[in-house]
């Protein structure tokens, strides 16, 4: 178990907290502040200990001057200040006198949010490339480094791996909670069921290989199901096909005959568009049809399999949930999970977005804030962002 903020003496210290404030923004307004809300426990804990708090985060990708305008972090300072009911000073630079002065003038309990760390990417990818000079400079602003950005743990960037090279470091309360919930999946109560959906098998090979031996059943829907169905010999029409993984699919189907459950019916359309589809048995698809959601019989089979589950892990939607005509399969199974006695962990941006739209997030055991980080952790990979954080 990694050291957390509770294991270090942060009283009256300058703490740098790397948060994940990579929130969606439309027309200059934050459309979903979940990531800011999830960062509050660590910030509040530091406030209770009279620390001086320096917050850092990336926002979007910055490859041009226009990207800087689009990904200006100041809107986050405003929202955070509302949520905390406390002044948050925004520093519109990532280095230099303005930043250094602001830090030098801090009193206990003050909060500063530095401009988007990825502004440094315009000058030779200094943030994303883990530039150690910049890391040393950012580390010089504080006494202690707290990594609370779960969503970027799978990346080795200056603002996580870099700074933690130079300062006593620990994880924040959000990262602690995420790791606790996800590591539960390595030793889950059984039956342990996995639901996988989303677009491509190739994105989930590592996950399948790592979790198949550990789970009791794996229910597969979404676009990725069609490559497996094709491997089983069905005509999948114009549905999504991940050709280069066909051999892999044949192999895992052979080795896990009793474990893998595939759709028996689908909702299809002859165009990839949000118009009403037709429910068809999986044996009835014609060459020009595209399966865009799982059908009602498949939903029932999934429900039956989930009925006695004690643990469920879900990554990837079961249909094109962005289209209102093809969200039903995903929504029906999400709703069912709120009615059974299983600990459900959702990981990955799309299924979390679907669960948020379906209003079920507060009825499930854990909603992981990181997509890539969640998958890499579950694949058993070491997360670079944790490398320099000592064990307890
Ligand atoms: P992933 O990032 O792999 O979890 O994929 C998420 C994407 O998969 C979403 O944008 C869905 O629209 C897409 N998806 C789910 N089901 C299907 C399907 N049957 N056909 C095409 N795309 C799908």
């Amino acid at each position: 178990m990694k050291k957390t903020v509770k294991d270090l003496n942060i009283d009256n210290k300058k703490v740098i907290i790397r948060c994940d404030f990579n929130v969606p923004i439309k027309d200059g307004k934050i459309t979903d502040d979940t990531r800011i809300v999830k960062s509050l426990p660590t910030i509040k804990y530091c406030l209770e200990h009279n620390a001086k708090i320096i917050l850092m985060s990336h926002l979007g990708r910055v490859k041009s001057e226009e990207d800087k305008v689009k990904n200006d972090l100041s809107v986050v300072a405003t929202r955070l200040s509302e949520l905390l009911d406390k002044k948050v000073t925004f520093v519109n630079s990532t280095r230099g006198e303005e930043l250094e002065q602001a830090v030098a003038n801090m009193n206990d309990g003050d909060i500063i949010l530095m401009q988007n760390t990825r502004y440094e990417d315009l000058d030779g990818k200094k943030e994303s490339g883990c530039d150690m000079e910049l890391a040393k400079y950012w580390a010089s602003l504080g006494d202690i480094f707290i990594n609370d950005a779960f969503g970027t743990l799978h990346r080795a960037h200056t603002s996580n791996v870099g700074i933690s090279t130079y300062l006593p470091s620990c994880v924040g309360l959000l990262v602690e909670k995420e790791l606790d919930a996800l590591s539960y999946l390595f030793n889950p109560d059984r039956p342990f069921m996995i639901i996988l959906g989303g677009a491509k098998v190739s994105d989930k090979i590592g996950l399948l290989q790592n979790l198949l031996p550990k789970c009791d059943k794996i229910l597969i829907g979404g676009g990725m199901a069609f490559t497996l169905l094709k491997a089983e010999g069905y005509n999948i029409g114009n549905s999504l096909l991940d050709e280069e993984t066909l051999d892999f699919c044949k192999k895992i189907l052979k080795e896990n005959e009793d474990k893998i459950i595939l759709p028996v019916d689908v909702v299809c359309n002859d165009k990839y568009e949000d118009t009403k589809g037709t429910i068809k048995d999986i044996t009835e698809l014609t060459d020009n049809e595209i399966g865009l959601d799982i059908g009602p019989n498949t939903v029932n089979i999934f429900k039956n399999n989930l009925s006695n589950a004690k643990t469920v892990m879900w990554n990837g939607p079961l249909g094109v949930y962005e289209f209102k005509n093809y969200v039903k399969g995903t929504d029906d199974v999400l709703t069912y999970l709120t009615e059974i006695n299983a600990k459900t962990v959702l990981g990955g941006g799309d299924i979390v977005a679907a669960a948020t739209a379906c209003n079920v997030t507060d009825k499930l055991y854990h909603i992981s804030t990181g997509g890539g980080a969640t998958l890499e952790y579950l694949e058993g990979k070491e997360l670079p962002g944790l490398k320099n954080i000592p064990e307890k």
Side-chain angles (χ1 to χ4, degrees):
M1 191 56 221
K2 296 285 177 186
K3 276 199 172 154
T4 81
V5 62
K6 293 189 173 162
D7 298 310
L8 299 187
N9 177 7
I10 59 161
D11 293 352
N12 312 94
K13 300 263 174 62
K14 278 187 180 136
V15 297
I16 299 174
I17 313 179
R18 174 54 162 101
C19 295
D20 180 3
F21 291 145
N22 188 29
V23 289
I25 293 175
K26 204 168 174 209
D27 303 327
K29 291 209 166 61
I30 296 168
T31 53
D32 179 359
D33 66 359
T34 308
R35 286 182 165 164
I36 307 178
V37 172
K38 298 245 180 186
S39 73
L40 294 177
T42 301
I43 297 172
K44 285 183 177 164
Y45 180 84
C46 293
L47 283 173
E48 282 160 22
H49 286 262
N50 295 316
K52 303 171 186 75
I53 302 169
I54 303 158
L55 303 172
M56 294 185 186
S57 176
H58 77 285
L59 176 62
R61 293 215 169 111
V62 180
K63 292 184 177 159
S64 63
E65 286 296 327
E66 295 86 77
D67 287 344
K68 280 172 102 174
V69 180
K70 258 195 331 217
N71 296 305
D72 183 327
L73 209 52
S74 59
V75 281
V76 170
T78 310
R79 182 70 192 124
L80 184 61
S81 172
E82 286 164 7
L83 289 166
L84 287 168
D85 195 19
K86 185 175 167 56
K87 183 174 171 203
V88 173
T89 304
F90 181 70
V91 178
N92 188 14
S93 52
T94 50
R95 61 169 88 205
E97 207 178 317
E98 187 192 353
L99 177 63
E100 290 155 29
Q101 276 304 321
V103 171
N105 292 336
M106 287 178 94
N107 292 313
D108 290 350
D110 280 355
I111 305 177
I112 280 178
L113 172 63
M114 188 184 86
Q115 183 55 279
N116 186 354
T117 54
R118 286 202 181 152
Y119 273 32
E120 291 285 342
D121 276 354
L122 266 191
D123 181 17
K125 289 209 163 260
K126 289 216 164 70
E127 155 71 329
S128 302
C130 201
D131 180 277
M132 292 316 275
E133 280 303 311
L134 179 60
K136 205 178 213 171
Y137 171 70
W138 279 344
S140 74
L141 301 171
D143 306 310
I144 284 171
F145 177 66
I146 303 167
N147 194 346
D148 212 20
F150 181 76
T152 52
L153 283 185
H154 62 311
R155 303 271 181 246
H157 289 172
T158 307
S159 61
N160 57 2
V161 176
I163 303 179
S164 64
T165 312
Y166 295 108
L167 284 180
S169 300
C170 61
V171 297
L173 303 176
L174 172 62
V175 168
E176 182 191 28
K177 188 165 172 274
E178 292 270 12
L179 294 177
D180 270 0
L182 294 178
S183 54
Y184 164 75
L185 296 179
F186 292 117
N187 193 13
D189 293 328
R190 288 178 177 278
F192 173 31
M193 315 296 269
I194 293 175
I195 308 173
L196 273 191
K200 286 179 154 187
V201 179
S202 49
D203 294 342
K204 325 258 163 154
I205 288 181
L207 196 68
L208 275 164
Q209 279 172 330
N210 204 275
L211 289 182
L212 257 169
K214 300 190 178 95
C215 73
D216 294 290
K217 288 256 164 70
I218 183 155
L219 316 174
I220 301 183
M224 68 177 284
F226 292 97
T227 305
L228 288 141
L229 287 163
K230 170 110 182 159
E232 289 265 83
Y234 291 102
N235 177 13
I236 59 165
N238 260 337
S239 307
L240 205 63
L241 174 65
D242 198 356
E243 190 103 41
E244 75 269 25
T245 58
L246 260 178
D247 287 340
F248 169 79
C249 289
K250 284 183 187 153
K251 184 169 168 285
I252 60 158
L253 282 166
K254 201 166 158 213
E255 289 167 0
N256 299 276
E257 229 177 338
D258 301 332
K259 260 190 193 176
I260 297 178
I261 314 261
L262 294 174
V264 294
D265 60 350
V266 291
V267 190
C268 58
N269 196 332
D270 54 9
K271 291 188 200 71
Y272 183 82
E273 63 175 29
D274 195 5
T275 48
K276 199 168 174 345
T278 313
I279 298 168
K280 284 207 164 176
D281 194 275
I282 197 63
T283 55
E284 293 174 339
L285 276 189
T286 56
D287 289 351
N288 63 337
E289 285 175 320
I290 312 169
L292 295 174
D293 193 10
I294 55 170
N297 291 333
T298 306
V299 169
N300 282 335
I301 291 172
F302 281 16
K303 283 185 185 174
N304 283 340
N305 276 283
L306 292 165
S307 61
N308 67 343
K310 287 282 173 293
T311 308
V312 180
M313 200 289 286
W314 186 345
N315 172 268
L318 301 176
V320 183
Y321 76 101
E322 298 94 331
F323 291 171
K324 65 178 185 324
N325 283 287
Y326 300 97
V327 72
K328 189 168 167 26
T330 303
D331 278 1
D332 284 355
V333 179
L334 276 170
T335 306
Y336 185 68
L337 290 174
T338 67
E339 293 161 10
I340 60 171
N341 187 23
K343 281 185 175 165
T344 296
V345 176
L346 301 189
D350 285 285
I351 191 58
V352 172
T356 307
C358 183
N359 259 320
V360 296
T361 48
D362 54 351
K363 300 184 192 98
L364 301 173
Y365 174 65
H366 185 70
I367 312 294
S368 186
T369 54
T374 308
L375 293 191
E376 293 201 12
Y377 187 69
L378 293 176
E379 281 169 29
K381 291 187 183 154
E382 191 195 24
L383 297 174
L386 293 177
K387 205 177 66 172
N388 292 331
I389 313 265
E391 296 290 323
K392 281 197 195 216

